[in-house]
Amino acid sequence: MIILGIDPGFGTMGYGVIDKRPNGDCIPVDYGVIKTPKDETFPVRLAMLEDGLNALYKKFAPEEISVEELFFSKNVTTGIQVAHARGVILLSAIKYCGKLFEYTPNQIKQALTGYGKADKIQMMHVVQSILRLKQVPRPDDAADALAVAICHAHTSRFGNLFGIK
């Protein structure tokens, strides 16, 4: 099963694609980021995110999509922009395949490390280990997106709890 994990962002949105095999192994397919230029207008940047997502759907044909839930930061302006980007993600994903799941940062950390307050470095090394990568995935946004996909692969049997209807 091909799973697309997404780490929401406005300037940089991370994505990670894995193949969950019937035996439970997770095989990395691709990962990276979708970037939008700071000098572009807000609506155009949102459209660029949608175009990038649609290109991922077309290239990888994910069967399920998992997204990290938005957590509130101290910078309200950035939080609002990321919330708009997340809206684009949710809308395009539900239109694409209808199998959309979301997880909080603590749920993702718990699923991968067994500890809901694991730090970023620990998470990146666990992602590297689970996917048997030669090096830690970079940039951070892509590593986070892979973690979201792995979290879904490990918890998908509980899909009704995390699915967005």
mmCIF file of all heavy atoms in Angstrom, residues 10-56:
data_model
loop_
_atom_site.group_PDB
_atom_site.id
_atom_site.type_symbol
_atom_site.label_atom_id
_atom_site.label_comp_id
_atom_site.label_asym_id
_atom_site.label_seq_id
_atom_site.Cartn_x
_atom_site.Cartn_y
_atom_site.Cartn_z
ATOM 1 N N PHE A 10 3.696 26.341 4.789
ATOM 2 C CA PHE A 10 3.295 27.315 3.786
ATOM 3 C C PHE A 10 4.465 27.638 2.861
ATOM 4 O O PHE A 10 4.339 27.569 1.650
ATOM 5 C CB PHE A 10 2.780 28.574 4.479
ATOM 6 C CG PHE A 10 2.326 29.630 3.526
ATOM 7 C CD1 PHE A 10 1.228 29.421 2.726
ATOM 8 C CD2 PHE A 10 3.003 30.827 3.421
ATOM 9 C CE1 PHE A 10 0.805 30.391 1.827
ATOM 10 C CE2 PHE A 10 2.587 31.798 2.543
ATOM 11 C CZ PHE A 10 1.492 31.588 1.738
ATOM 12 N N GLY A 11 5.611 27.932 3.431
ATOM 13 C CA GLY A 11 6.808 28.183 2.641
ATOM 14 C C GLY A 11 7.471 26.889 2.224
ATOM 15 O O GLY A 11 8.011 26.768 1.128
ATOM 16 N N THR A 12 7.418 25.892 3.109
ATOM 17 C CA THR A 12 8.005 24.574 2.855
ATOM 18 C C THR A 12 7.075 23.505 3.405
ATOM 19 O O THR A 12 6.813 23.460 4.594
ATOM 20 C CB THR A 12 9.385 24.445 3.539
ATOM 21 O OG1 THR A 12 10.229 25.509 3.112
ATOM 22 C CG2 THR A 12 10.036 23.122 3.198
ATOM 23 N N MET A 13 6.566 22.675 2.519
ATOM 24 C CA MET A 13 5.693 21.569 2.903
ATOM 25 C C MET A 13 6.452 20.274 2.654
ATOM 26 O O MET A 13 6.915 20.026 1.545
ATOM 27 C CB MET A 13 4.407 21.600 2.062
ATOM 28 C CG MET A 13 3.467 20.442 2.335
ATOM 29 S SD MET A 13 2.054 20.412 1.188
ATOM 30 C CE MET A 13 1.278 21.965 1.562
ATOM 31 N N GLY A 14 6.595 19.452 3.690
ATOM 32 C CA GLY A 14 7.298 18.193 3.534
ATOM 33 C C GLY A 14 6.383 17.085 3.055
ATOM 34 O O GLY A 14 5.194 17.059 3.380
ATOM 35 N N TYR A 15 6.953 16.164 2.260
ATOM 36 C CA TYR A 15 6.203 14.973 1.863
ATOM 37 C C TYR A 15 7.109 13.752 1.975
ATOM 38 O O TYR A 15 8.330 13.847 1.842
ATOM 39 C CB TYR A 15 5.624 15.098 0.451
ATOM 40 C CG TYR A 15 6.653 15.055 -0.656
ATOM 41 C CD1 TYR A 15 7.061 13.839 -1.208
ATOM 42 C CD2 TYR A 15 7.216 16.219 -1.153
ATOM 43 C CE1 TYR A 15 8.005 13.795 -2.208
ATOM 44 C CE2 TYR A 15 8.167 16.182 -2.160
ATOM 45 C CZ TYR A 15 8.558 14.972 -2.687
ATOM 46 O OH TYR A 15 9.503 14.923 -3.679
ATOM 47 N N GLY A 16 6.495 12.634 2.272
ATOM 48 C CA GLY A 16 7.208 11.367 2.331
ATOM 49 C C GLY A 16 6.304 10.273 1.806
ATOM 50 O O GLY A 16 5.138 10.196 2.193
ATOM 51 N N VAL A 17 6.820 9.467 0.915
ATOM 52 C CA VAL A 17 6.049 8.389 0.308
ATOM 53 C C VAL A 17 6.702 7.065 0.705
ATOM 54 O O VAL A 17 7.912 6.889 0.523
ATOM 55 C CB VAL A 17 6.019 8.510 -1.235
ATOM 56 C CG1 VAL A 17 5.149 7.414 -1.842
ATOM 57 C CG2 VAL A 17 5.540 9.895 -1.665
ATOM 58 N N ILE A 18 5.887 6.180 1.261
ATOM 59 C CA ILE A 18 6.381 4.852 1.633
ATOM 60 C C ILE A 18 5.460 3.782 1.057
ATOM 61 O O ILE A 18 4.310 4.056 0.722
ATOM 62 C CB ILE A 18 6.498 4.676 3.167
ATOM 63 C CG1 ILE A 18 5.124 4.770 3.842
ATOM 64 C CG2 ILE A 18 7.487 5.668 3.760
ATOM 65 C CD1 ILE A 18 5.130 4.374 5.319
ATOM 66 N N ASP A 19 6.008 2.591 0.957
ATOM 67 C CA ASP A 19 5.234 1.430 0.525
ATOM 68 C C ASP A 19 5.159 0.490 1.718
ATOM 69 O O ASP A 19 6.176 -0.047 2.154
ATOM 70 C CB ASP A 19 5.932 0.753 -0.652
ATOM 71 C CG ASP A 19 5.153 -0.439 -1.205
ATOM 72 O OD1 ASP A 19 4.050 -0.736 -0.699
ATOM 73 O OD2 ASP A 19 5.666 -1.069 -2.146
ATOM 74 N N LYS A 20 3.959 0.340 2.263
ATOM 75 C CA LYS A 20 3.770 -0.598 3.374
ATOM 76 C C LYS A 20 3.480 -1.969 2.778
ATOM 77 O O LYS A 20 2.468 -2.173 2.117
ATOM 78 C CB LYS A 20 2.624 -0.170 4.282
ATOM 79 C CG LYS A 20 2.418 -1.149 5.435
ATOM 80 C CD LYS A 20 1.227 -0.803 6.273
ATOM 81 C CE LYS A 20 1.009 -1.869 7.331
ATOM 82 N NZ LYS A 20 -0.255 -1.691 8.015
ATOM 83 N N ARG A 21 4.378 -2.885 3.022
ATOM 84 C CA ARG A 21 4.260 -4.233 2.487
ATOM 85 C C ARG A 21 3.318 -5.063 3.343
ATOM 86 O O ARG A 21 3.094 -4.749 4.519
ATOM 87 C CB ARG A 21 5.640 -4.889 2.442
ATOM 88 C CG ARG A 21 6.644 -4.140 1.566
ATOM 89 C CD ARG A 21 6.296 -4.325 0.085
ATOM 90 N NE ARG A 21 7.019 -3.448 -0.799
ATOM 91 C CZ ARG A 21 8.196 -3.712 -1.341
ATOM 92 N NH1 ARG A 21 8.823 -4.828 -1.047
ATOM 93 N NH2 ARG A 21 8.749 -2.852 -2.169
ATOM 94 N N PRO A 22 2.776 -6.151 2.801
ATOM 95 C CA PRO A 22 1.859 -7.006 3.562
ATOM 96 C C PRO A 22 2.461 -7.537 4.872
ATOM 97 O O PRO A 22 1.742 -7.764 5.833
ATOM 98 C CB PRO A 22 1.546 -8.157 2.593
ATOM 99 C CG PRO A 22 1.744 -7.559 1.235
ATOM 100 C CD PRO A 22 2.883 -6.580 1.391
ATOM 101 N N ASN A 23 3.791 -7.699 4.918
ATOM 102 C CA ASN A 23 4.426 -8.194 6.143
ATOM 103 C C ASN A 23 4.651 -7.085 7.173
ATOM 104 O O ASN A 23 5.203 -7.334 8.238
ATOM 105 C CB ASN A 23 5.756 -8.891 5.817
ATOM 106 C CG ASN A 23 6.814 -7.941 5.295
ATOM 107 O OD1 ASN A 23 6.590 -6.747 5.133
ATOM 108 N ND2 ASN A 23 7.980 -8.492 5.005
ATOM 109 N N GLY A 24 4.243 -5.846 6.836
ATOM 110 C CA GLY A 24 4.369 -4.723 7.758
ATOM 111 C C GLY A 24 5.591 -3.862 7.541
ATOM 112 O O GLY A 24 5.696 -2.777 8.114
ATOM 113 N N ASP A 25 6.547 -4.324 6.726
ATOM 114 C CA ASP A 25 7.733 -3.516 6.442
ATOM 115 C C ASP A 25 7.338 -2.251 5.696
ATOM 116 O O ASP A 25 6.423 -2.255 4.867
ATOM 117 C CB ASP A 25 8.739 -4.295 5.586
ATOM 118 C CG ASP A 25 9.483 -5.361 6.366
ATOM 119 O OD1 ASP A 25 9.373 -5.385 7.616
ATOM 120 O OD2 ASP A 25 10.167 -6.186 5.723
ATOM 121 N N CYS A 26 8.064 -1.187 5.986
ATOM 122 C CA CYS A 26 7.873 0.088 5.301
ATOM 123 C C CYS A 26 9.094 0.355 4.431
ATOM 124 O O CYS A 26 10.219 0.405 4.930
ATOM 125 C CB CYS A 26 7.685 1.223 6.305
ATOM 126 S SG CYS A 26 6.171 1.108 7.263
ATOM 127 N N ILE A 27 8.869 0.519 3.148
ATOM 128 C CA ILE A 27 9.939 0.746 2.187
ATOM 129 C C ILE A 27 9.846 2.189 1.702
ATOM 130 O O ILE A 27 8.788 2.636 1.256
ATOM 131 C CB ILE A 27 9.796 -0.214 0.973
ATOM 132 C CG1 ILE A 27 9.656 -1.662 1.425
ATOM 133 C CG2 ILE A 27 10.942 -0.015 -0.019
ATOM 134 C CD1 ILE A 27 10.794 -2.205 2.240
ATOM 135 N N PRO A 28 10.951 2.945 1.783
ATOM 136 C CA PRO A 28 10.900 4.325 1.303
ATOM 137 C C PRO A 28 10.773 4.365 -0.220
ATOM 138 O O PRO A 28 11.422 3.592 -0.923
ATOM 139 C CB PRO A 28 12.239 4.910 1.756
ATOM 140 C CG PRO A 28 13.160 3.738 1.863
ATOM 141 C CD PRO A 28 12.290 2.578 2.255
ATOM 142 N N VAL A 29 9.917 5.252 -0.699
ATOM 143 C CA VAL A 29 9.734 5.438 -2.135
ATOM 144 C C VAL A 29 10.358 6.776 -2.550
ATOM 145 O O VAL A 29 11.159 6.834 -3.474
ATOM 146 C CB VAL A 29 8.240 5.383 -2.523
ATOM 147 C CG1 VAL A 29 8.037 5.679 -4.002
ATOM 148 C CG2 VAL A 29 7.637 4.029 -2.154
ATOM 149 N N ASP A 30 10.001 7.841 -1.837
ATOM 150 C CA ASP A 30 10.533 9.171 -2.144
ATOM 151 C C ASP A 30 10.199 10.103 -0.992
ATOM 152 O O ASP A 30 9.271 9.838 -0.217
ATOM 153 C CB ASP A 30 9.918 9.708 -3.442
ATOM 154 C CG ASP A 30 10.639 10.940 -3.993
ATOM 155 O OD1 ASP A 30 11.833 11.132 -3.683
ATOM 156 O OD2 ASP A 30 9.996 11.707 -4.729
ATOM 157 N N TYR A 31 10.933 11.180 -0.904
ATOM 158 C CA TYR A 31 10.641 12.217 0.075
ATOM 159 C C TYR A 31 11.272 13.522 -0.388
ATOM 160 O O TYR A 31 12.185 13.529 -1.212
ATOM 161 C CB TYR A 31 11.112 11.837 1.480
ATOM 162 C CG TYR A 31 12.586 11.551 1.615
ATOM 163 C CD1 TYR A 31 13.496 12.563 1.920
ATOM 164 C CD2 TYR A 31 13.064 10.254 1.458
ATOM 165 C CE1 TYR A 31 14.848 12.286 2.054
ATOM 166 C CE2 TYR A 31 14.410 9.970 1.596
ATOM 167 C CZ TYR A 31 15.303 10.987 1.894
ATOM 168 O OH TYR A 31 16.635 10.712 2.030
ATOM 169 N N GLY A 32 10.725 14.614 0.128
ATOM 170 C CA GLY A 32 11.235 15.924 -0.255
ATOM 171 C C GLY A 32 10.317 17.020 0.251
ATOM 172 O O GLY A 32 9.564 16.818 1.209
ATOM 173 N N VAL A 33 10.373 18.156 -0.406
ATOM 174 C CA VAL A 33 9.556 19.293 -0.006
ATOM 175 C C VAL A 33 8.963 19.984 -1.230
ATOM 176 O O VAL A 33 9.503 19.889 -2.329
ATOM 177 C CB VAL A 33 10.363 20.325 0.824
ATOM 178 C CG1 VAL A 33 10.812 19.729 2.150
ATOM 179 C CG2 VAL A 33 11.552 20.862 0.049
ATOM 180 N N ILE A 34 7.867 20.652 -0.986
ATOM 181 C CA ILE A 34 7.277 21.568 -1.946
ATOM 182 C C ILE A 34 7.527 22.956 -1.368
ATOM 183 O O ILE A 34 7.114 23.230 -0.242
ATOM 184 C CB ILE A 34 5.764 21.321 -2.128
ATOM 185 C CG1 ILE A 34 5.502 19.907 -2.621
ATOM 186 C CG2 ILE A 34 5.163 22.364 -3.063
ATOM 187 C CD1 ILE A 34 4.036 19.493 -2.573
ATOM 188 N N LYS A 35 8.206 23.801 -2.126
ATOM 189 C CA LYS A 35 8.524 25.147 -1.640
ATOM 190 C C LYS A 35 7.753 26.189 -2.434
ATOM 191 O O LYS A 35 7.471 25.998 -3.615
ATOM 192 C CB LYS A 35 10.022 25.433 -1.774
ATOM 193 C CG LYS A 35 10.874 24.663 -0.800
ATOM 194 C CD LYS A 35 12.330 25.095 -0.939
ATOM 195 C CE LYS A 35 13.141 24.548 0.201
ATOM 196 N NZ LYS A 35 13.450 25.519 1.205
ATOM 197 N N THR A 36 7.422 27.287 -1.738
ATOM 198 C CA THR A 36 6.798 28.418 -2.414
ATOM 199 C C THR A 36 7.671 29.648 -2.173
ATOM 200 O O THR A 36 8.191 29.839 -1.079
ATOM 201 C CB THR A 36 5.366 28.679 -1.907
ATOM 202 O OG1 THR A 36 5.406 29.042 -0.529
ATOM 203 C CG2 THR A 36 4.479 27.460 -2.110
ATOM 204 N N PRO A 37 7.827 30.496 -3.195
ATOM 205 C CA PRO A 37 8.696 31.667 -3.060
ATOM 206 C C PRO A 37 8.065 32.769 -2.207
ATOM 207 O O PRO A 37 6.879 33.070 -2.341
ATOM 208 C CB PRO A 37 8.897 32.143 -4.502
ATOM 209 C CG PRO A 37 7.773 31.547 -5.279
ATOM 210 C CD PRO A 37 7.325 30.317 -4.553
ATOM 211 N N LYS A 38 8.886 33.354 -1.345
ATOM 212 C CA LYS A 38 8.410 34.394 -0.433
ATOM 213 C C LYS A 38 7.897 35.635 -1.157
ATOM 214 O O LYS A 38 7.048 36.351 -0.639
ATOM 215 C CB LYS A 38 9.527 34.797 0.533
ATOM 216 C CG LYS A 38 9.912 33.704 1.482
ATOM 217 C CD LYS A 38 11.050 34.130 2.385
ATOM 218 C CE LYS A 38 11.444 32.969 3.282
ATOM 219 N NZ LYS A 38 12.567 33.272 4.150
ATOM 220 N N ASP A 39 8.400 35.888 -2.342
ATOM 221 C CA ASP A 39 8.016 37.103 -3.060
ATOM 222 C C ASP A 39 6.714 36.956 -3.847
ATOM 223 O O ASP A 39 6.257 37.897 -4.483
ATOM 224 C CB ASP A 39 9.142 37.562 -3.981
ATOM 225 C CG ASP A 39 9.510 36.530 -5.037
ATOM 226 O OD1 ASP A 39 9.141 35.351 -4.889
ATOM 227 O OD2 ASP A 39 10.180 36.914 -6.012
ATOM 228 N N GLU A 40 6.092 35.785 -3.771
ATOM 229 C CA GLU A 40 4.838 35.552 -4.483
ATOM 230 C C GLU A 40 3.653 35.882 -3.579
ATOM 231 O O GLU A 40 3.772 35.882 -2.362
ATOM 232 C CB GLU A 40 4.785 34.085 -4.931
ATOM 233 C CG GLU A 40 3.759 33.776 -5.992
ATOM 234 C CD GLU A 40 3.877 34.641 -7.230
ATOM 235 O OE1 GLU A 40 4.744 34.360 -8.063
ATOM 236 O OE2 GLU A 40 3.096 35.597 -7.363
ATOM 237 N N THR A 41 2.495 36.171 -4.168
ATOM 238 C CA THR A 41 1.307 36.517 -3.381
ATOM 239 C C THR A 41 0.756 35.286 -2.667
ATOM 240 O O THR A 41 0.998 34.147 -3.082
ATOM 241 C CB THR A 41 0.191 37.116 -4.264
ATOM 242 O OG1 THR A 41 -0.243 36.120 -5.195
ATOM 243 C CG2 THR A 41 0.681 38.356 -5.006
ATOM 244 N N PHE A 42 0.018 35.538 -1.601
ATOM 245 C CA PHE A 42 -0.543 34.470 -0.777
ATOM 246 C C PHE A 42 -1.396 33.487 -1.586
ATOM 247 O O PHE A 42 -1.164 32.276 -1.537
ATOM 248 C CB PHE A 42 -1.332 35.100 0.379
ATOM 249 C CG PHE A 42 -1.841 34.116 1.384
ATOM 250 C CD1 PHE A 42 -0.981 33.478 2.263
ATOM 251 C CD2 PHE A 42 -3.188 33.823 1.456
ATOM 252 C CE1 PHE A 42 -1.448 32.565 3.193
ATOM 253 C CE2 PHE A 42 -3.666 32.917 2.384
ATOM 254 C CZ PHE A 42 -2.794 32.284 3.252
ATOM 255 N N PRO A 43 -2.378 33.966 -2.374
ATOM 256 C CA PRO A 43 -3.201 33.014 -3.135
ATOM 257 C C PRO A 43 -2.398 32.213 -4.157
ATOM 258 O O PRO A 43 -2.667 31.023 -4.361
ATOM 259 C CB PRO A 43 -4.232 33.902 -3.845
ATOM 260 C CG PRO A 43 -4.247 35.182 -3.088
ATOM 261 C CD PRO A 43 -2.882 35.344 -2.505
ATOM 262 N N VAL A 44 -1.414 32.837 -4.774
ATOM 263 C CA VAL A 44 -0.594 32.125 -5.759
ATOM 264 C C VAL A 44 0.233 31.039 -5.061
ATOM 265 O O VAL A 44 0.369 29.927 -5.581
ATOM 266 C CB VAL A 44 0.301 33.108 -6.541
ATOM 267 C CG1 VAL A 44 1.336 32.363 -7.378
ATOM 268 C CG2 VAL A 44 -0.544 34.013 -7.428
ATOM 269 N N ARG A 45 0.734 31.332 -3.869
ATOM 270 C CA ARG A 45 1.498 30.328 -3.127
ATOM 271 C C ARG A 45 0.614 29.135 -2.754
ATOM 272 O O ARG A 45 1.045 27.982 -2.829
ATOM 273 C CB ARG A 45 2.133 30.950 -1.885
ATOM 274 C CG ARG A 45 3.276 31.900 -2.237
ATOM 275 C CD ARG A 45 3.837 32.595 -1.034
ATOM 276 N NE ARG A 45 4.757 31.715 -0.322
ATOM 277 C CZ ARG A 45 5.404 32.077 0.782
ATOM 278 N NH1 ARG A 45 5.224 33.282 1.315
ATOM 279 N NH2 ARG A 45 6.227 31.239 1.372
ATOM 280 N N LEU A 46 -0.627 29.401 -2.366
ATOM 281 C CA LEU A 46 -1.556 28.305 -2.071
ATOM 282 C C LEU A 46 -1.810 27.455 -3.315
ATOM 283 O O LEU A 46 -1.841 26.226 -3.254
ATOM 284 C CB LEU A 46 -2.871 28.837 -1.507
ATOM 285 C CG LEU A 46 -2.815 29.468 -0.119
ATOM 286 C CD1 LEU A 46 -4.173 30.048 0.253
ATOM 287 C CD2 LEU A 46 -2.340 28.482 0.929
ATOM 288 N N ALA A 47 -1.965 28.123 -4.459
ATOM 289 C CA ALA A 47 -2.173 27.402 -5.717
ATOM 290 C C ALA A 47 -0.945 26.568 -6.070
ATOM 291 O O ALA A 47 -1.068 25.453 -6.588
ATOM 292 C CB ALA A 47 -2.498 28.384 -6.842
ATOM 293 N N MET A 48 0.243 27.091 -5.765
ATOM 294 C CA MET A 48 1.479 26.342 -6.024
ATOM 295 C C MET A 48 1.536 25.079 -5.160
ATOM 296 O O MET A 48 1.987 24.024 -5.620
ATOM 297 C CB MET A 48 2.695 27.224 -5.762
ATOM 298 C CG MET A 48 2.837 28.365 -6.757
ATOM 299 S SD MET A 48 4.120 29.527 -6.262
ATOM 300 C CE MET A 48 5.526 28.738 -7.014
ATOM 301 N N LEU A 49 1.077 25.192 -3.924
ATOM 302 C CA LEU A 49 1.022 24.010 -3.054
ATOM 303 C C LEU A 49 0.070 22.969 -3.630
ATOM 304 O O LEU A 49 0.388 21.774 -3.663
ATOM 305 C CB LEU A 49 0.599 24.402 -1.634
ATOM 306 C CG LEU A 49 1.600 25.238 -0.835
ATOM 307 C CD1 LEU A 49 0.984 25.656 0.497
ATOM 308 C CD2 LEU A 49 2.901 24.488 -0.620
ATOM 309 N N GLU A 50 -1.089 23.422 -4.079
ATOM 310 C CA GLU A 50 -2.049 22.485 -4.665
ATOM 311 C C GLU A 50 -1.469 21.815 -5.909
ATOM 312 O O GLU A 50 -1.600 20.601 -6.087
ATOM 313 C CB GLU A 50 -3.353 23.199 -5.028
ATOM 314 C CG GLU A 50 -4.372 22.243 -5.624
ATOM 315 C CD GLU A 50 -5.609 22.920 -6.158
ATOM 316 O OE1 GLU A 50 -5.535 24.096 -6.569
ATOM 317 O OE2 GLU A 50 -6.653 22.248 -6.186
ATOM 318 N N ASP A 51 -0.806 22.594 -6.762
ATOM 319 C CA ASP A 51 -0.187 22.016 -7.959
ATOM 320 C C ASP A 51 0.859 20.968 -7.579
ATOM 321 O O ASP A 51 0.946 19.901 -8.194
ATOM 322 C CB ASP A 51 0.469 23.108 -8.813
ATOM 323 C CG ASP A 51 -0.537 24.028 -9.485
ATOM 324 O OD1 ASP A 51 -1.737 23.676 -9.553
ATOM 325 O OD2 ASP A 51 -0.114 25.112 -9.942
ATOM 326 N N GLY A 52 1.657 21.286 -6.551
ATOM 327 C CA GLY A 52 2.676 20.341 -6.098
ATOM 328 C C GLY A 52 2.061 19.060 -5.568
ATOM 329 O O GLY A 52 2.553 17.955 -5.848
ATOM 330 N N LEU A 53 0.990 19.192 -4.789
ATOM 331 C CA LEU A 53 0.297 18.015 -4.265
ATOM 332 C C LEU A 53 -0.293 17.177 -5.391
ATOM 333 O O LEU A 53 -0.157 15.948 -5.400
ATOM 334 C CB LEU A 53 -0.796 18.431 -3.281
ATOM 335 C CG LEU A 53 -0.304 18.959 -1.944
ATOM 336 C CD1 LEU A 53 -1.425 19.680 -1.212
ATOM 337 C CD2 LEU A 53 0.263 17.826 -1.095
ATOM 338 N N ASN A 54 -0.925 17.833 -6.351
ATOM 339 C CA ASN A 54 -1.515 17.099 -7.477
ATOM 340 C C ASN A 54 -0.447 16.352 -8.268
ATOM 341 O O ASN A 54 -0.686 15.237 -8.744
ATOM 342 C CB ASN A 54 -2.324 18.037 -8.368
ATOM 343 C CG ASN A 54 -3.630 18.452 -7.722
ATOM 344 O OD1 ASN A 54 -4.195 17.729 -6.909
ATOM 345 N ND2 ASN A 54 -4.107 19.639 -8.061
ATOM 346 N N ALA A 55 0.740 16.939 -8.390
ATOM 347 C CA ALA A 55 1.845 16.259 -9.073
ATOM 348 C C ALA A 55 2.272 15.012 -8.294
ATOM 349 O O ALA A 55 2.574 13.967 -8.891
ATOM 350 C CB ALA A 55 3.021 17.216 -9.251
ATOM 351 N N LEU A 56 2.288 15.116 -6.958
ATOM 352 C CA LEU A 56 2.626 13.945 -6.134
ATOM 353 C C LEU A 56 1.582 12.848 -6.295
ATOM 354 O O LEU A 56 1.919 11.662 -6.404
ATOM 355 C CB LEU A 56 2.743 14.334 -4.664
ATOM 356 C CG LEU A 56 3.914 15.229 -4.281
ATOM 357 C CD1 LEU A 56 3.807 15.658 -2.819
ATOM 358 C CD2 LEU A 56 5.241 14.532 -4.550
#
